Structure formats: structure tokens, C-alpha cells
């Protein structure tokens, strides 16, 4: 893998909301779950993944999760064991580190997806309670993020543009470069 491969993959990365009407193979879902597992994690035993590909449950997800505005046939749900997290990371770990871990898992999933012809959409606009009842999560398992997964349509609509990040140099407010464009 060259620097060009990595740069190209980062450049291609985007959210997808339109997917082909066919299931994601079990092997592909396992590779996606593996990618999420490889992502950085502050401590062991905190991360749980729920892999959903049952069409009935996916249809229900679309009904009860308002932000799930896509036709993905599968999703991977990143969850945190809050009891274990508090034991090994303390309160601040539960409130901060576990969310960083969830974000890292999303990034890994997205990159792995590209290698398999799969696209993803990170979705968090829902209530904890809705995800909890959809997946039968025990009380100490917190849903962090649902990631829609599916085969990308041949000509997807253009990706959203214009999401900016500000760069500062040595201290906040000193410009590092005028515009950090994506
Ligand atoms: C933390 C987070 C939460 C998001 N929640 C939703 C969501 O609930 N529903 C949705 O369709 N997209 C969601 N998105 C996708 C963003 O809207 C998307 O990143 C944005 O449109 C930029 O597109 P891009 O990632 O393709 O550049 C979320 C993205 C992130 C990172």
C-alpha cells in the first residue's frame, strides 16, 4: 500500500445513503467488524459491536431511528460497556475515551468498506431508548453510533461539500494555513 493509495482512499471517503437492493455478504460484514475491532481502543473489553442484517429489523430501524434516512440492508452498531469502561477508565473515560474509540471504529469501517465496494453512513440522530429496544441492549451497554452499510449504487448522488475545519498554529487563533480544504 502506497501513500497514494491512502490519500486516494481518504479523498474518496464519503457518506452514502443510496445502496443497491441486495444483502451484504456475511464475509464482508465480518471484514467490516474486523476493521472496527482493529481501531484504537483505550482499554480492552469495552467495545461491543452489534451486526444487523435481518431485513425485518432493518425495516424497523428505519421506522424508529429518525436519522436513519437510507436504504442500507445492514448496519453495524458500536456500543460501550459502561460498567467495564468505568472500571478500567474511570468516569472521564466513560465520558470521553469511549466516544473517541467509537469515532475511530467508524473511520476504520469506512475505509474497509471502500475495499469491498461497500459504502457507509454514520448515523446518530436517534434516542438511546429506541436503539436499546431495537437491539435488546442490557442497561450497561450504551449505543454510541449506528453505521449503515450497503453496496454503493453505480452513480451515487454527489457527496455533501463544504465541511470545514479550522487550523491553528501553536496557539488558538494564529492561522496555520488560510483554509484547510477537504
Ligand atoms: C457523528 C456523526 C453523526 C451523523 N449523524 C447522521 C444522521 O443521523 N443521519 C445521516 O443521514 N447522516 C449523519 N451523519 C452524516 C453527516 O451528515 C455527513 O457526514 C455529512 O453529510 C458530510 O458528508 P461526508 O461525510 O460525505 O463528507 C453523521 C455524521 C457524523 C460524523
Amino acid at each position: 500500500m502506497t501513500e497514494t493509495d491512502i490519500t486516494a482512499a481518504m479523498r474518496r471517503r464519503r457518506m452514502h445513503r443510496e445502496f443497491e437492493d441486495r444483502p451484504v455478504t456475511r464475509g464482508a460484514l465480518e471484514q467490516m467488524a474486523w476493521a472496527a475491532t482493529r481501531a484504537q481502543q483505550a482499554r480492552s473489553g469495552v467495545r461491543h459491536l452489534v451486526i444487523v442484517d435481518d431485513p425485518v429489523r432493518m425495516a424497523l430501524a428505519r421506522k424508529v431511528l429518525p436519522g436513519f434516512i437510507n436504504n442500507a440492508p445492514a448496519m453495524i452498531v458500536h456500543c460501550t460497556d459502561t460498567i467495564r469502561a468505568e472500571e478500567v477508565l474511570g468516569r472521564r473515560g466513560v465520558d470521553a475515551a469511549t466516544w473517541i474509540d467509537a469515532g475511530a471504529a467508524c473511520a476504520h469501517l469506512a475505509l474497509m468498506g471502500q475495499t469491498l465496494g461497500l459504502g457507509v453512513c454514520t448515523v446518530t440522530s436517534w434516542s438511546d431508548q429506541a436503539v436499546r429496544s431495537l437491539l435488546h441492549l442490557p442497561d450497561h451497554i450504551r449505543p454510541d453510533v449506528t453505521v449503515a452499510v450497503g453496496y454503493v449504487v453505480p452513480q451515487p448522488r454527489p457527496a455533501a461539500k463544504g465541511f470545514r475545519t479550522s487550523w491553528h498554529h501553536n496557539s488558538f487563533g494564529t492561522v496555520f494555513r488560510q483554509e484547510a480544504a477537504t
Side-chain angles (χ1 to χ4, degrees), residues 119-177:
V120 299
C121 188
T122 307
V123 175
T124 59
S125 294
W126 35 249
S127 72
D128 268 33
Q129 200 42 54
V131 181
R132 284 177 182 286
S133 28
L134 179 71
L135 305 176
H136 304 149
L137 300 180
D139 287 349
H140 67 291
I141 301 296
R142 183 193 68 203
D144 303 322
V145 54
T146 54
V147 183
V149 181
Y151 293 99
V152 174
V153 292
Q155 270 157 0
R157 274 178 240 176
K161 283 239 180 308
F163 280 51
R164 292 175 46 223
T165 298
S166 304
W167 294 6
H168 306 261
H169 196 198
N170 294 323
S171 67
F172 195 90
T174 309
V175 173
F176 183 74
R177 213 180 86 176

Side-chain angles (χ1 to χ4, degrees), residues 2-77:
T2 66
E3 188 189 326
T4 317
D5 296 332
I6 295 176
T7 306
M10 288 179 175
R11 211 172 275 292
R12 270 197 312 267
R13 187 218 60 79
R14 57 163 291 182
M15 300 295 174
H16 289 272
R17 296 186 179 87
E18 298 168 274
F19 302 98
E20 289 185 351
D21 185 18
R22 61 176 165 124
V24 180
T25 65
R26 171 78 188 217
L29 287 172
E30 281 178 16
Q31 275 181 269
M32 300 282 279
W34 176 84
T37 303
R38 277 292 304 146
Q40 66 178 47
Q41 194 180 178
R43 295 286 186 279
S44 177
V46 174
R47 173 182 282 148
H48 288 255
L49 303 173
V50 183
I51 296 114
V52 184
D53 61 355
D54 168 25
V56 175
R57 208 167 295 250
M58 288 304 297
L60 189 55
R62 266 177 274 281
K63 284 208 176 103
V64 299
L65 313 180
F68 212 82
I69 46 169
N70 61 74
N71 66 332
M75 68 175 171
I76 297 180
V77 184

